[in-house]
Amino acid sequence: MGKLIFSISLLLLLLDCCHGGKVGVCYGRSADDLPTPSKVVQLIKQHNIKYVRIYDYNSQVLKAFANTTIELIIGVPNSDLKPFTQSQSNADTWLKNSVLPFYPTTKITHITVGAESTDDPHTTNASSLVVPAMQNVLTALKKVGLSRRIKVSTTLSLGVLSRSFPPSAGAFNSSYAYFLRPMLEFLAENQSPFMVDLYPYYAYRDSPSNVSLDYVLFESSSEVIDPNTGLLYKNMFDAQVDALYYALTALNFRTIKIMVTETGWPTKGSPKEKGAASPDNAETYNANIIRHAVTNQGTPSKPGEAVDVYIFSLFNENRKTGLDSERNWGLFYPDQTSVYQLDFTGKNGGFRSNSSGGNSRGRSESWCIASSKASEIELRGALDWACGPGNVDCTAIQPSQPCFQPDTLVSHASFVFNSYFQQNGGTDVACSFGGVGVKVNKDPSYDKCIYITAGGNNTKARNASALSSSASTSHGNESLVWILSLWLVISLLFSLQTMNLLAL
């Protein structure tokens, strides 16, 4: 029996541990100039986006996603909550008329019941309606046998915390206790995710003298230490996620997983947002959040535990009120052209190269090398990352290869940094490496060691090599996992058969 339990546990671990977080987008429709839902779905498929969140249950949108592999989060708006709390039959009828006609041809995976209800000034006592409505929606799903396939949750803002720094001191606001505890009990009991909308952008916008831009953009070369745990944080996103995990742990909810249902960065803002909202900052933040998620980096308190993220938003939405930034979070303009380029697979560090080899911002010919002032620890860490998760082909710096000599860390790092820089569009971000990369305009090639550039055939060959190496490694890992999984299944069946024989 012990071997049987071990086999099952190992099988589940193998199946669960070998993939990164999911990256999706939020498809908001507060605009009067957007493409039709069918055209939007084509755009989403064109850009390899596999996960989408919408904020309602619009029938035309649900129909447009039919017969695709795109997984969809749908929502019950705050304004619709009250009928769901008044009777179970209202929830049953809603499910029958608004969801079941489209399922499973439309892959609905989650239903959010209410959105940021604690911050809603328009719906009276919205948060008090959420949990009763969630219970009735879940009961309706149970009646049709879908409660395990479609998860029920609600979305919250970071405002539910009374304290978020240091992360280990994360605590929920006691004024929301009437709502939070029953909600958390619901999530834990039904294995539903804690859905939260996180925006490091606002922390920087509101306090630029106290918050580093590099820290919120995942570009910091320094770290913020949590004095209680000694854990080091290189970006605010991780600190915010961990603050939530610690707040959950403080209430003894240790098994609930966090899903970030909104995060992003605006490309344009009002005068007070001038230093924060920009296309470059938006591209940098979103490219880095994609890379962070798909490479399964986790957070300092939960390393390797993937966090799913949804980027806000698919389009600029011209009907939104408030500061200019509210209307400029989009990845695409209404005419379906990109505001800036992103790669949702994460293969190119989150950036999507255009046909000429660069990204949307363009560049003159330049190279990226290692700073001579960088410490050995910083260079080694950056080099290891580039040759690993960064998908750079580092064959050329191995013994007997063209760029092995001089056999110094700075020389090896320079060649690798440049390779990563060129294959990821030649952007400033791609030459950061935590502050130890330096852009230069003089070709650093020497002897037979040729530093590639983003236009030549050599670049394309190296890029193909790097991507095929990455792909083969990925497929190799997947194959190994499934071979082991198959072996465990066979062992499990054999164990069950043996147990049956012994019982006889």
Side-chain angles (χ1 to χ4, degrees):
M1 178 61 75
K3 290 182 178 179
L4 176 61
I5 293 173
F6 173 76
S7 296
I8 294 172
S9 301
L10 185 56
L11 175 60
L12 293 173
L13 179 64
L14 281 166
L15 293 175
D16 186 58
C17 72
C18 299
H19 57 81
K22 297 175 181 177
V23 176
V25 296
C26 301
Y27 172 21
R29 305 193 313 281
S30 296
D32 56 18
D33 55 358
L34 298 184
T36 63
S38 59
K39 289 183 178 180
V40 170
V41 171
Q42 291 304 312
L43 177 70
I44 287 169
K45 291 167 66 177
Q46 177 187 337
H47 289 271
N48 296 310
I49 299 168
K50 302 182 185 301
Y51 309 95
V52 174
R53 176 191 174 192
I54 63 173
Y55 294 84
D56 56 15
Y57 43 90
N58 179 278
S59 60
Q60 293 301 311
V61 175
L62 294 182
K63 190 182 297 183
F65 280 94
N67 300 308
T68 69
T69 59
I70 298 164
E71 296 185 11
L72 201 62
I73 298 175
I74 68 172
V76 177
N78 294 343
S79 57
D80 292 359
L81 288 176
K82 194 169 184 179
F84 285 81
T85 67
Q86 291 174 332
S87 73
Q88 180 61 51
S89 63
N90 286 345
D92 295 344
T93 301
W94 171 80
L95 187 70
K96 178 182 177 181
N97 295 336
S98 300
V99 179
L100 295 184
F102 308 99
Y103 184 88
T105 53
T106 296
K107 292 186 67 175
I108 300 167
T109 59
H110 297 79
I111 299 173
T112 59
V113 181
E116 296 191 9
S117 58
T118 56
D119 304 316
D120 187 349
H122 306 295
T123 305
T124 304
N125 298 322
S127 57
S128 65
L129 303 174
V130 168
V131 176
M134 288 169 67
Q135 292 283 7
N136 286 344
V137 170
L138 177 66
T139 299
L141 287 168
K142 285 181 176 178
K143 288 181 178 181
V144 294
L146 292 177
S147 60
R148 293 187 177 180
R149 296 186 180 183
I150 301 177
K151 293 296 181 180
V152 178
S153 188
T154 188
T155 65
L156 300 168
S157 73
L158 198 65
V160 296
L161 294 185
S162 60
R163 190 167 58 246
S164 61
F165 186 83
S168 60
F172 288 112
N173 191 325
S174 59
S175 64
Y176 298 134
Y178 71 94
F179 156 68
L180 284 171
R181 182 164 286 279
M183 185 207 72
L184 295 174
E185 289 171 350
F186 176 97
L187 299 182
E189 181 180 347
N190 296 289
Q191 298 181 323
S192 292
F194 183 100
M195 294 179 162
V196 64
D197 301 339
L198 295 184
Y199 287 99
Y201 165 78
Y202 289 120
Y204 174 73
R205 184 199 70 179
D206 295 341
S207 189
S209 60
N210 296 320
V211 178
S212 161
L213 179 60
D214 285 346
Y215 184 61
V216 294
L217 292 178
F218 291 81
E219 293 290 296
S220 179
S221 58
S222 58
E223 296 161 323
V224 175
I225 187 169
D226 185 318
N228 300 324
T229 61
L231 293 175
L232 302 175
Y233 290 85
K234 297 195 73 171
N235 65 79
M236 181 172 283
F237 179 86
D238 281 350
Q240 291 181 339
V241 171
D242 272 357
L244 287 162
Y245 272 126
Y246 279 111
L248 289 169
T249 300
L251 295 181
N252 205 30
F253 292 99
R254 301 173 186 273
T255 60
I256 298 175
K257 291 191 174 182
I258 290 173
M259 176 187 288
V260 178
T261 42
E262 282 185 17
T263 193
W265 201 282
T267 54
K268 182 181 177 182
S270 299
K272 68 171 289 188
E273 304 172 287
K274 189 174 181 181
S278 73
D280 278 356
N281 287 346
E283 181 179 21
T284 299
Y285 178 82
N286 286 329
N288 282 335
I289 197 72
I290 290 171
R291 175 181 54 78
H292 191 64
V294 300
T295 55
N296 200 21
Q297 293 183 26
T299 66
S301 78
K302 291 184 177 290
E305 186 166 315
V307 176
D308 297 343
V309 298
Y310 285 74
I311 294 175
F312 184 87
S313 181
L314 192 62
F315 293 106
N316 288 332
E317 297 174 77
N318 65 5
R319 280 189 171 178
K320 288 208 165 184
T321 58
L323 297 175
D324 286 350
S325 62
E326 289 298 315
R327 294 173 289 281
N328 290 281
W329 291 82
L331 305 176
F332 298 94
Y333 295 109
D335 66 2
Q336 303 178 62
T337 59
S338 298
V339 179
Y340 48 87
Q341 306 291 331
L342 287 179
D343 169 25
F344 284 87
T345 68
K347 290 179 180 178
N348 293 313
F351 295 101
R352 183 164 61 87
S353 297
N354 60 28
S355 59
S356 65
N359 81 336
S360 60
R361 287 184 287 185
R363 64 189 263 298
S364 58
E365 190 169 59
S366 58
W367 294 262
C368 178
I369 62 173
S371 170
S372 59
K373 298 178 180 179
S375 70
E376 183 175 338
I377 293 175
E378 290 174 320
L379 286 178
R380 176 57 62 190
L383 182 61
D384 289 345
W385 181 87
C387 292
N391 287 335
V392 173
D393 182 356
C394 296
T395 305
I397 61 171
Q398 302 305 312
S400 77
Q401 295 301 312
C403 301
F404 177 69
Q405 295 294 345
D407 183 15
T408 66
L409 193 55
V410 171
S411 178
H412 291 175
S414 292
F415 178 82
V416 171
F417 285 9
N418 183 69
S419 298
Y420 180 86
F421 171 71
Q422 304 294 352
Q423 72 188 40
N424 287 285
T427 66
D428 290 344
V429 173
C431 187
S432 172
F433 295 97
V436 298
V438 179
K439 283 177 66 175
V440 295
N441 295 321
K442 182 179 179 181
D443 187 353
S445 302
Y446 59 94
D447 298 334
K448 294 182 179 180
C449 181
I450 307 302
Y451 279 57
I452 61 175
T453 55
N457 295 329
N458 197 16
T459 301
K460 294 178 181 178
R462 289 291 180 87
N463 282 347
S465 173
L467 287 174
S468 64
S469 173
S470 170
S472 64
T473 300
S474 173
H475 291 312
N477 288 340
E478 290 175 6
S479 300
L480 178 60
V481 168
W482 284 107
I483 290 170
L484 289 171
S485 300
L486 180 61
W487 175 79
L488 285 167
V489 169
I490 294 170
S491 299
L492 175 60
L493 292 173
F494 179 77
S495 298
L496 290 171
Q497 186 178 17
T498 303
M499 289 170 65
N500 288 334
L501 290 173
L502 288 173
L504 294 174

